[in-house]
Amino acid sequence: MKALWIASAFAVMLSITIPAAAHHSMAGFDRTQNKSLTGTVVEFKWANPHSWIELAVPQDNGKTVHWNVEMTAPGYLARAGWKRTTVSAGDKVTVVVNPLITGEPGGLFVSIQLPDGKVLTQRGELGAKGKGKAK
């Protein structure tokens, strides 16, 4: 009976931890590449478990491609000096991402240059030497 209880507990633990590990995998992003995107914010989603920026990026052919940029959780962003109003729809920004390895228009957030010229990361504002500092 004790063995059955241990096996059941182990199965429950696996059912919780495997989806969590899969959810947080960075395997879909090319972390060796940075891609700079200049465009207009369509939406900034301040939500758990991840915040997102949807960015409309004009192309040379006159078309616009919508990029989805995954960020960290709002709690981490808030500790780095972000607010839910830091980025708003209509803002003209430049976002640096680690692109998706599939080539689809999406990526993992690295930094953003706001309309006022300030550059932010998920760890805070970039200082003169390029190191993040929380405000």
Side-chain angles (χ1 to χ4, degrees), residues 8-47:
S8 296
F10 183 70
V12 169
M13 286 181 6
L14 279 179
S15 70
I16 294 170
T17 58
I18 290 173
H23 172 80
H24 289 96
S25 172
M26 295 295 154
F29 302 105
D30 184 350
R31 304 281 305 265
T32 67
Q33 300 292 318
N34 283 343
K35 182 164 183 69
S36 182
L37 309 166
T38 299
T40 304
V41 174
V42 175
E43 184 178 6
F44 176 48
K45 301 173 193 167
W46 182 269

CSV table of all heavy atoms in Angstrom, one decimal, residues 8-47:
chain,number,residue,atom,x,y,z
A,8,SER,N,1.8,7.1,-6.6
A,8,SER,CA,0.8,8.1,-7.0
A,8,SER,C,1.3,9.5,-6.7
A,8,SER,O,1.1,10.4,-7.5
A,8,SER,CB,-0.5,7.9,-6.1
A,8,SER,OG,-1.0,6.6,-6.4
A,9,ALA,N,2.0,9.7,-5.6
A,9,ALA,CA,2.6,11.0,-5.3
A,9,ALA,C,3.6,11.4,-6.4
A,9,ALA,O,3.6,12.6,-6.9
A,9,ALA,CB,3.2,11.0,-4.0
A,10,PHE,N,4.4,10.5,-6.8
A,10,PHE,CA,5.4,10.7,-7.9
A,10,PHE,C,4.7,11.1,-9.2
A,10,PHE,O,5.1,12.0,-9.9
A,10,PHE,CB,6.3,9.5,-8.1
A,10,PHE,CG,7.4,9.7,-9.0
A,10,PHE,CD1,8.5,10.6,-8.8
A,10,PHE,CD2,7.4,9.1,-10.3
A,10,PHE,CE1,9.5,10.7,-9.7
A,10,PHE,CE2,8.4,9.3,-11.2
A,10,PHE,CZ,9.4,10.1,-10.9
A,11,ALA,N,3.6,10.4,-9.5
A,11,ALA,CA,2.9,10.7,-10.8
A,11,ALA,C,2.3,12.1,-10.7
A,11,ALA,O,2.3,12.8,-11.7
A,11,ALA,CB,1.8,9.6,-11.0
A,12,VAL,N,1.8,12.5,-9.6
A,12,VAL,CA,1.2,13.8,-9.4
A,12,VAL,C,2.3,14.9,-9.6
A,12,VAL,O,2.1,15.9,-10.3
A,12,VAL,CB,0.5,14.0,-8.1
A,12,VAL,CG1,0.2,15.4,-7.8
A,12,VAL,CG2,-0.8,13.1,-8.1
A,13,MET,N,3.5,14.7,-9.0
A,13,MET,CA,4.6,15.6,-9.1
A,13,MET,C,5.0,15.7,-10.6
A,13,MET,O,5.3,16.8,-11.1
A,13,MET,CB,5.8,15.2,-8.2
A,13,MET,CG,5.5,15.4,-6.8
A,13,MET,SD,6.9,15.0,-5.7
A,13,MET,CE,8.2,14.5,-6.7
A,14,LEU,N,5.1,14.6,-11.3
A,14,LEU,CA,5.5,14.7,-12.7
A,14,LEU,C,4.5,15.4,-13.5
A,14,LEU,O,4.8,16.2,-14.4
A,14,LEU,CB,5.7,13.3,-13.3
A,14,LEU,CG,7.0,12.6,-13.0
A,14,LEU,CD1,7.0,11.2,-13.6
A,14,LEU,CD2,8.2,13.4,-13.5
A,15,SER,N,3.2,15.2,-13.2
A,15,SER,CA,2.2,15.9,-14.0
A,15,SER,C,2.2,17.4,-13.8
A,15,SER,O,1.7,18.2,-14.7
A,15,SER,CB,0.8,15.3,-13.7
A,15,SER,OG,0.4,15.7,-12.4
A,16,ILE,N,2.7,17.9,-12.7
A,16,ILE,CA,2.8,19.3,-12.4
A,16,ILE,C,4.1,19.9,-13.0
A,16,ILE,O,4.1,20.9,-13.7
A,16,ILE,CB,2.8,19.6,-10.9
A,16,ILE,CG1,1.4,19.2,-10.4
A,16,ILE,CG2,3.1,21.0,-10.6
A,16,ILE,CD1,1.3,19.2,-8.9
A,17,THR,N,5.2,19.2,-12.8
A,17,THR,CA,6.5,19.7,-13.2
A,17,THR,C,6.8,19.7,-14.7
A,17,THR,O,7.5,20.5,-15.3
A,17,THR,CB,7.7,19.1,-12.5
A,17,THR,OG1,7.6,17.7,-12.7
A,17,THR,CG2,7.6,19.4,-11.0
A,18,ILE,N,6.4,18.6,-15.4
A,18,ILE,CA,6.7,18.5,-16.8
A,18,ILE,C,6.0,19.7,-17.6
A,18,ILE,O,6.7,20.3,-18.4
A,18,ILE,CB,6.3,17.1,-17.4
A,18,ILE,CG1,7.3,16.1,-16.8
A,18,ILE,CG2,6.3,17.1,-18.9
A,18,ILE,CD1,6.9,14.7,-17.1
A,19,PRO,N,4.7,20.0,-17.5
A,19,PRO,CA,4.2,21.1,-18.2
A,19,PRO,C,4.9,22.4,-17.8
A,19,PRO,O,5.1,23.3,-18.7
A,19,PRO,CB,2.7,21.1,-17.8
A,19,PRO,CG,2.4,19.8,-17.3
A,19,PRO,CD,3.7,19.3,-16.7
A,20,ALA,N,5.3,22.6,-16.6
A,20,ALA,CA,5.9,23.8,-16.2
A,20,ALA,C,7.3,24.0,-16.9
A,20,ALA,O,7.7,25.0,-17.4
A,20,ALA,CB,6.1,23.9,-14.7
A,21,ALA,N,8.0,22.9,-17.0
A,21,ALA,CA,9.3,22.9,-17.7
A,21,ALA,C,9.1,23.2,-19.1
A,21,ALA,O,9.9,23.9,-19.7
A,21,ALA,CB,10.1,21.6,-17.4
A,22,ALA,N,8.1,22.6,-19.7
A,22,ALA,CA,7.9,22.8,-21.2
A,22,ALA,C,7.5,24.2,-21.4
A,22,ALA,O,7.9,24.8,-22.4
A,22,ALA,CB,6.8,21.8,-21.6
A,23,HIS,N,6.7,24.8,-20.5
A,23,HIS,CA,6.2,26.1,-20.7
A,23,HIS,C,7.4,27.1,-20.7
A,23,HIS,O,7.3,28.1,-21.4
A,23,HIS,CB,5.2,26.5,-19.6
A,23,HIS,CG,4.8,27.9,-19.6
A,23,HIS,ND1,3.9,28.4,-20.4
A,23,HIS,CD2,5.3,29.0,-18.8
A,23,HIS,CE1,3.7,29.7,-20.2
A,23,HIS,NE2,4.6,30.1,-19.2
A,24,HIS,N,8.4,26.9,-19.9
A,24,HIS,CA,9.5,27.9,-19.7
A,24,HIS,C,10.7,27.5,-20.6
A,24,HIS,O,11.7,28.1,-20.4
A,24,HIS,CB,9.9,27.9,-18.3
A,24,HIS,CG,8.8,28.6,-17.4
A,24,HIS,ND1,7.9,27.9,-16.8
A,24,HIS,CD2,8.6,29.9,-17.3
A,24,HIS,CE1,7.1,28.8,-16.2
A,24,HIS,NE2,7.5,30.0,-16.4
A,25,SER,N,10.5,26.7,-21.6
A,25,SER,CA,11.6,26.3,-22.5
A,25,SER,C,12.0,27.5,-23.4
A,25,SER,O,11.1,28.2,-23.9
A,25,SER,CB,11.3,25.1,-23.3
A,25,SER,OG,12.3,24.9,-24.3
A,26,MET,N,13.2,27.8,-23.6
A,26,MET,CA,13.7,28.8,-24.5
A,26,MET,C,14.2,28.3,-25.8
A,26,MET,O,14.8,28.9,-26.6
A,26,MET,CB,14.8,29.6,-23.8
A,26,MET,CG,14.4,30.4,-22.6
A,26,MET,SD,13.2,31.7,-23.0
A,26,MET,CE,12.3,31.8,-21.5
A,27,ALA,N,13.9,27.0,-26.0
A,27,ALA,CA,14.4,26.3,-27.2
A,27,ALA,C,13.8,26.9,-28.5
A,27,ALA,O,14.4,26.8,-29.5
A,27,ALA,CB,14.0,24.8,-27.1
A,28,GLY,N,12.7,27.6,-28.5
A,28,GLY,CA,12.1,28.1,-29.7
A,28,GLY,C,12.7,29.4,-30.1
A,28,GLY,O,12.4,29.9,-31.2
A,29,PHE,N,13.6,30.0,-29.3
A,29,PHE,CA,14.2,31.3,-29.6
A,29,PHE,C,15.7,31.1,-30.0
A,29,PHE,O,16.4,30.3,-29.3
A,29,PHE,CB,14.1,32.3,-28.4
A,29,PHE,CG,12.7,32.5,-28.0
A,29,PHE,CD1,12.2,31.9,-26.9
A,29,PHE,CD2,11.9,33.3,-28.8
A,29,PHE,CE1,10.9,32.2,-26.4
A,29,PHE,CE2,10.5,33.6,-28.3
A,29,PHE,CZ,10.1,33.0,-27.2
A,30,ASP,N,16.2,31.9,-30.9
A,30,ASP,CA,17.6,31.8,-31.3
A,30,ASP,C,18.3,32.8,-30.4
A,30,ASP,O,18.4,34.0,-30.7
A,30,ASP,CB,17.8,32.1,-32.8
A,30,ASP,CG,19.3,32.0,-33.2
A,30,ASP,OD1,20.1,31.9,-32.3
A,30,ASP,OD2,19.5,32.1,-34.4
A,31,ARG,N,18.8,32.4,-29.3
A,31,ARG,CA,19.4,33.3,-28.3
A,31,ARG,C,20.8,33.8,-28.7
A,31,ARG,O,21.4,34.6,-28.1
A,31,ARG,CB,19.5,32.5,-26.9
A,31,ARG,CG,18.2,32.0,-26.4
A,31,ARG,CD,17.3,33.0,-25.7
A,31,ARG,NE,17.9,33.8,-24.7
A,31,ARG,CZ,17.8,33.5,-23.4
A,31,ARG,NH1,17.2,32.4,-22.9
A,31,ARG,NH2,18.3,34.3,-22.5
A,32,THR,N,21.3,33.3,-29.9
A,32,THR,CA,22.6,33.8,-30.4
A,32,THR,C,22.4,34.9,-31.4
A,32,THR,O,23.4,35.5,-31.8
A,32,THR,CB,23.3,32.6,-31.2
A,32,THR,OG1,22.6,32.3,-32.4
A,32,THR,CG2,23.5,31.4,-30.3
A,33,GLN,N,21.2,35.3,-31.7
A,33,GLN,CA,20.9,36.3,-32.7
A,33,GLN,C,20.1,37.4,-32.0
A,33,GLN,O,19.2,37.2,-31.2
A,33,GLN,CB,20.1,35.8,-33.9
A,33,GLN,CG,20.8,34.7,-34.6
A,33,GLN,CD,22.1,35.2,-35.4
A,33,GLN,OE1,22.0,36.3,-35.9
A,33,GLN,NE2,23.1,34.5,-35.3
A,34,ASN,N,20.4,38.7,-32.4
A,34,ASN,CA,19.5,39.8,-32.0
A,34,ASN,C,19.0,40.4,-33.3
A,34,ASN,O,19.7,40.6,-34.3
A,34,ASN,CB,20.3,40.9,-31.3
A,34,ASN,CG,20.6,40.5,-29.8
A,34,ASN,OD1,20.0,39.7,-29.3
A,34,ASN,ND2,21.6,41.2,-29.2
A,35,LYS,N,17.7,40.7,-33.3
A,35,LYS,CA,17.0,41.4,-34.4
A,35,LYS,C,16.4,42.6,-33.9
A,35,LYS,O,15.6,42.6,-32.9
A,35,LYS,CB,16.0,40.4,-35.0
A,35,LYS,CG,15.3,41.0,-36.2
A,35,LYS,CD,14.6,39.9,-37.0
A,35,LYS,CE,14.0,40.5,-38.3
A,35,LYS,NZ,14.9,40.9,-39.3
A,36,SER,N,16.7,43.7,-34.6
A,36,SER,CA,16.1,45.0,-34.2
A,36,SER,C,14.9,45.3,-35.1
A,36,SER,O,14.9,45.2,-36.3
A,36,SER,CB,17.2,46.1,-34.5
A,36,SER,OG,16.7,47.4,-34.1
A,37,LEU,N,13.8,45.7,-34.4
A,37,LEU,CA,12.5,45.9,-35.0
A,37,LEU,C,12.1,47.3,-34.7
A,37,LEU,O,11.9,47.7,-33.5
A,37,LEU,CB,11.5,45.0,-34.5
A,37,LEU,CG,11.8,43.5,-34.5
A,37,LEU,CD1,10.8,42.7,-33.7
A,37,LEU,CD2,11.8,43.0,-36.0
A,38,THR,N,11.8,48.1,-35.7
A,38,THR,CA,11.3,49.5,-35.5
A,38,THR,C,9.9,49.5,-36.0
A,38,THR,O,9.7,49.2,-37.2
A,38,THR,CB,12.2,50.5,-36.2
A,38,THR,OG1,13.5,50.5,-35.7
A,38,THR,CG2,11.7,51.9,-36.0
A,39,GLY,N,9.0,50.0,-35.2
A,39,GLY,CA,7.6,50.0,-35.6
A,39,GLY,C,6.7,50.7,-34.6
A,39,GLY,O,7.2,51.4,-33.7
A,40,THR,N,5.4,50.4,-34.7
A,40,THR,CA,4.4,51.0,-33.8
A,40,THR,C,3.8,50.0,-32.9
A,40,THR,O,3.4,48.9,-33.4
A,40,THR,CB,3.3,51.7,-34.7
A,40,THR,OG1,3.9,52.6,-35.6
A,40,THR,CG2,2.3,52.4,-33.8
A,41,VAL,N,3.7,50.3,-31.6
A,41,VAL,CA,3.1,49.4,-30.7
A,41,VAL,C,1.6,49.3,-31.0
A,41,VAL,O,0.9,50.3,-31.1
A,41,VAL,CB,3.3,49.8,-29.2
A,41,VAL,CG1,2.5,48.9,-28.2
A,41,VAL,CG2,4.8,49.9,-28.9
A,42,VAL,N,1.1,48.0,-31.2
A,42,VAL,CA,-0.3,47.8,-31.4
A,42,VAL,C,-0.9,47.5,-30.0
A,42,VAL,O,-2.0,48.1,-29.7
A,42,VAL,CB,-0.5,46.5,-32.3
A,42,VAL,CG1,-2.0,46.2,-32.4
A,42,VAL,CG2,0.1,46.8,-33.7
A,43,GLU,N,-0.2,46.7,-29.2
A,43,GLU,CA,-0.8,46.4,-27.9
A,43,GLU,C,0.4,46.0,-27.0
A,43,GLU,O,1.3,45.4,-27.4
A,43,GLU,CB,-1.8,45.3,-27.9
A,43,GLU,CG,-2.4,45.0,-26.6
A,43,GLU,CD,-3.5,43.9,-26.7
A,43,GLU,OE1,-3.6,43.2,-27.8
A,43,GLU,OE2,-4.1,43.6,-25.7
A,44,PHE,N,0.3,46.5,-25.7
A,44,PHE,CA,1.2,46.1,-24.7
A,44,PHE,C,0.4,45.3,-23.6
A,44,PHE,O,-0.5,45.9,-23.0
A,44,PHE,CB,1.9,47.3,-24.0
A,44,PHE,CG,2.8,46.9,-22.9
A,44,PHE,CD1,3.7,45.9,-22.9
A,44,PHE,CD2,2.8,47.7,-21.7
A,44,PHE,CE1,4.6,45.6,-21.9
A,44,PHE,CE2,3.6,47.4,-20.6
A,44,PHE,CZ,4.5,46.4,-20.7
A,45,LYS,N,0.6,44.0,-23.5
A,45,LYS,CA,-0.2,43.2,-22.6
A,45,LYS,C,0.6,43.0,-21.3
A,45,LYS,O,1.6,42.3,-21.3
A,45,LYS,CB,-0.5,41.9,-23.2
A,45,LYS,CG,-1.2,42.0,-24.5
A,45,LYS,CD,-1.3,40.6,-25.2
A,45,LYS,CE,-1.8,40.8,-26.6
A,45,LYS,NZ,-1.6,39.5,-27.4
A,46,TRP,N,0.2,43.6,-20.2
A,46,TRP,CA,0.8,43.5,-18.9
A,46,TRP,C,0.0,42.4,-18.2
A,46,TRP,O,-1.0,42.7,-17.5
A,46,TRP,CB,0.6,44.9,-18.2
A,46,TRP,CG,1.2,45.0,-16.8
A,46,TRP,CD1,0.5,44.8,-15.7
A,46,TRP,CD2,2.5,45.5,-16.5
A,46,TRP,NE1,1.4,45.1,-14.6
A,46,TRP,CE2,2.6,45.5,-15.1
A,46,TRP,CE3,3.6,45.9,-17.2
A,46,TRP,CZ2,3.7,45.9,-14.4
A,46,TRP,CZ3,4.7,46.3,-16.5
A,46,TRP,CH2,4.8,46.3,-15.1
A,47,ALA,N,0.5,41.2,-18.3
A,47,ALA,CA,-0.3,40.1,-17.8
A,47,ALA,C,0.6,38.9,-17.4
A,47,ALA,O,1.8,38.8,-17.9
A,47,ALA,CB,-1.2,39.6,-18.9
